[in-house]
Amino acid sequence: MEKLEFSEAVDAYLAYTATSWQEFIVEDYYDSFRYGDNILDFFQEAKVKEIKERLYASIISRISEIE
């Protein structure tokens, strides 16, 4: 999630026009903040993990082709 998307979700939430996804983003961020976690950090970690998994799969595929 980008900061712009989060900002738009907060604006919509406060204006009572938020979609269910925007409501989830805002409420989850509030819950995470309350417990000392930052959802944006989790998102970044998830992106890094996804990139790592894709690179690993690509490397394994190339090794298989060589053998």
Side-chain angles (χ1 to χ4, degrees), residues 1 3 5-6 9 11 14-16 27-28 30 33 35 39-40 44-46 52 55 57 64:
M1 169 181 48
K3 292 181 182 182
E5 181 183 10
F6 179 72
D11 290 342
L14 294 175
Y16 297 99
E27 291 170 358
D28 191 56
Y30 172 77
F33 182 76
Y35 296 114
I39 194 170
L40 294 175
Q44 292 300 328
E45 290 174 11
K52 179 194 85 159
L55 284 171
S64 296

Side-chain angles (χ1 to χ4, degrees), residues 3 5 10 12 21 25 32 34 48 56 60-61 66:
K3 292 181 182 182
E5 181 183 10
V10 170
W21 174 244
I25 291 171
S32 296
R34 182 171 50 163
V48 168
Y56 181 76
I60 294 299
S61 174
I66 293 171

Side-chain angles (χ1 to χ4, degrees), residues 21-22 33 47 63 65:
W21 174 244
Q22 289 172 322
F33 182 76
K47 284 177 69 176
I63 289 172
E65 290 174 2

Side-chain angles (χ1 to χ4, degrees), residues 46-62:
K47 284 177 69 176
V48 168
K49 183 177 179 185
E50 178 184 351
I51 292 168
K52 179 194 85 159
E53 289 172 354
R54 291 176 63 190
L55 284 171
Y56 181 76
S58 177
I59 291 168
I60 294 299
S61 174
R62 289 186 182 180

